[in-house]
Amino acid sequence: MKILVINAGSSSLKFQLIDMDDESVKAKGLVERIGIEGTHFKQTVTEGNKVIEFTRNMADHTEAISAVLAALTDKENGAIASLDEIGACGHRVLHGGETFKASALVTDESMKEIEALVPLGPLHQRPNIAGIRACQEVMPGKPNVAVFDTAFHQTMPPKAYLYGVPYEYYTNLKVRRYGFHGTSHRFIAGEVPKYLGKKPEDCKFIICHLGNGSSLSAIVGGKVVDTSMGLTPLEGILMGTRSGDVDPAVLEYIMDNTGMDIHEMLNTLNKKSGFAGLSCSSDMRDVKAAAAKGDAQAKAALEVWTYRLQKYIGAYNVAVGGADAIVFTAGIGENDVDACADVISGLGFMGVKIDPAKNKRGVAGIISTDDSTIKVLRIPTNEELPIARDTLEIVSKL
Ligand code: ADP
């Protein structure tokens, strides 16, 4: 069966067509600037590296999905002969709240629950819903499955997910830590035991998903015991454009002194902070290049990023009760071998050591020395495959 994986953002839509017979990617693509002048579409079909690329205004996600399906079935440069070959669609959905502890078939009932969670993450949840609705409209009768970014983290105990605020905010408003990047953390958590040569239930490790958005998770016996993102993806380590942890009182102080309202303030913390706020760019490569030329702000930003990551790893070593492994993944974790080495160099007192000969870009495996007290691994993540696997599993039971 082939599964169409959809990751719908506010003005973009990423997609992959995965053949579940061998879990190979048949085609993938990206639609950008949906609802904005100059919508851009690009699809690459794996076999023959065939590309369809064009710019044509698309008003909404329904138009974008229609374009995806037209491209997938394009006679010359498509990937499939007809839409009948698509067995189901799997959708990345930001927030499952406490309602969804696993992926769910989209039904009228589950859609109501997904919609009820919009207030917890309106910026992502609304477009995620629009993506599902678009598939329902354009491919009526085709099953849709929702795969939640938060679901894998639902195993956290209350001591990890409760904030120190009046308890009624948890009971009445469901204010708590949820955590995100769940599909990536789950994929990596499934891979690590293979490298450690241990059963998943015997492993304790820390996953560092370091992309534009970044989060850590502490895993014991295959289950999350803590994670760095919170009610929203704003909490945790320094990110491309997000501040990560700040003293909440900073908000009032800045707002009083600038006249910003709470929405502008949060927009600043989400979109104009992190690397972008402290230095010249949200992109690690640009920050590194600027630091190499002597830019003091870029150097400071890198130091903040590294130091905070080291502190979180130290804390999560406590959370798991002594880690077997520290794992790097996502854009920075998979590619920036020097940044990973810098992070680990601060943990030398714990006996953790990177082996420079093994610390290679994009290669999966152990990158620490044989005598390192904690193994360090680099494993490329895959955020689409877990969505496709869950979708297959759910629709196979229909
Ligand atoms: P997203 O959260 O958007 O999925 P990615 O996982 O693609 O992000 O990661 C993007 C980050 O990875 C950027 O900060 C980028 O600079 C960084 N990155 C990608 N390739 C490299 C590289 N070769 N060296 C350093 N950083 C890299």
Side-chain angles (χ1 to χ4, degrees):
M1 185 191 283
K2 294 185 186 71
I3 305 281
L4 181 60
V5 175
I6 305 281
N7 182 355
S10 55
S11 64
S12 70
L13 188 145
K14 285 190 211 153
F15 64 97
Q16 275 194 13
L17 183 69
I18 302 181
D19 187 342
M20 296 312 287
D21 289 345
D22 58 0
E23 295 191 333
S24 63
V25 177
K26 292 278 143 204
K28 64 174 161 185
L30 172 66
V31 194
E32 287 172 295
R33 300 179 63 86
I34 299 169
I36 306 170
E37 185 68 23
T39 311
H40 186 257
F41 181 99
K42 184 171 181 185
Q43 168 183 283
T44 307
V45 171
T46 311
E47 201 183 323
N49 205 23
K50 292 178 286 186
V51 173
I52 295 180
E53 188 169 9
F54 59 88
T55 301
R56 182 184 78 216
N57 288 352
M58 296 180 203
D60 54 28
H61 288 78
T62 305
E63 280 191 38
I65 291 283
S66 299
V68 170
L69 300 181
L72 284 173
T73 52
D74 186 86
K75 284 214 163 53
E76 255 175 64
N77 294 312
I80 47 176
S82 99
L83 294 182
D84 297 340
E85 289 185 44
I86 302 176
C89 302
H91 299 262
R92 181 176 182 181
V93 177
L94 176 83
H95 229 299
E98 289 190 326
T99 316
F100 295 100
K101 299 190 191 313
S103 304
L105 183 71
V106 172
T107 60
D108 290 349
E109 207 171 276
S110 64
M111 249 338 231
K112 274 191 203 131
E113 307 266 22
I114 294 169
E115 277 167 346
L117 294 163
V118 165
L120 287 176
L123 291 182
H124 292 90
Q125 197 85 341
R126 280 208 186 93
N128 297 158
I129 291 169
I132 298 175
R133 293 259 183 248
C135 284
Q136 288 176 322
E137 199 179 325
V138 182
M139 289 178 284
K142 195 84 74 188
N144 289 285
V145 168
V147 178
F148 303 93
D149 255 32
T150 51
F152 184 55
H153 301 297
Q154 276 294 300
T155 50
M156 268 186 290
K159 68 178 178 186
Y161 71 66
L162 284 177
Y163 289 122
V165 297
Y167 196 72
E168 72 217 42
Y169 295 128
Y170 170 59
T171 44
N172 297 343
L173 296 173
K174 294 289 170 213
V175 171
R176 51 160 284 178
R177 174 183 312 287
Y178 288 96
F180 297 88
H181 291 137
T183 52
S184 173
H185 287 287
R186 181 153 63 112
F187 176 79
I188 298 293
E191 294 294 301
V192 174
K194 300 178 198 166
Y195 292 95
L196 298 182
K198 284 174 145 186
K199 290 189 203 139
E201 53 270 34
D202 296 334
C203 294
K204 299 183 284 183
F205 49 88
I206 300 160
I207 300 172
C208 308
H209 174 109
L210 308 175
N212 187 27
S214 299
S215 66
L216 271 70
S217 66
I219 310 282
V220 175
K223 297 199 165 70
V224 177
V225 296
D226 207 346
T227 190
S228 60
M229 284 179 164
L231 174 82
T232 78
L234 188 50
E235 196 179 346
I237 65 162
L238 194 84
M239 307 181 214
T241 63
R242 296 188 192 116
S243 60
D245 302 336
V246 288
D247 175 353
V250 163
L251 278 69
E252 184 189 38
Y253 184 73
I254 294 177
M255 287 160 69
D256 283 352
N257 283 283
T258 61
M260 270 196 264
D261 65 21
I262 188 66
H263 300 293
E264 290 166 317
M265 184 71 248
L266 280 173
N267 191 47
T268 299
L269 292 178
N270 269 305
K271 304 230 170 101
K272 299 176 187 166
S273 298
F275 277 138
L278 282 176
S279 70
C280 53
S281 164
S282 64
D283 193 298
M284 180 62 138
R285 288 165 287 199
D286 298 340
V287 182
K288 283 245 160 128
K293 285 189 194 146
D295 183 307
Q297 277 179 234
K299 278 187 191 168
L302 287 172
E303 281 173 13
V304 172
W305 182 83
T306 307
Y307 177 62
R308 288 193 171 194
L309 196 42
Q310 289 165 338
K311 284 204 295 186
Y312 259 99
I313 292 173
Y316 282 10
N317 196 27
V318 175
V320 301
D324 304 315
I326 298 162
V327 192
F328 290 110
T329 192
I332 298 171
E334 289 167 32
N335 294 296
D336 196 333
V337 300
D338 296 332
C340 298
D342 286 347
V343 170
I344 296 298
S345 70
L347 311 177
F349 74 96
M350 300 194 305
V352 196
K353 274 182 261 168
I354 288 265
D355 182 343
K358 293 184 195 156
N359 188 21
K360 296 269 177 343
R361 234 182 110 179
V363 181
I366 294 173
I367 57 171
S368 48
T369 58
D370 292 344
D371 65 347
S372 179
T373 48
I374 303 175
K375 290 192 168 57
V376 185
L377 283 81
R378 169 169 297 116
I379 304 178
T381 196
N382 190 331
E383 300 191 71
E384 285 78 20
L385 191 54
I387 297 177
R389 284 177 180 164
D390 279 11
T391 304
L392 177 68
E393 195 187 324
I394 288 175
V395 300
S396 302
K397 290 180 193 146
L398 294 178

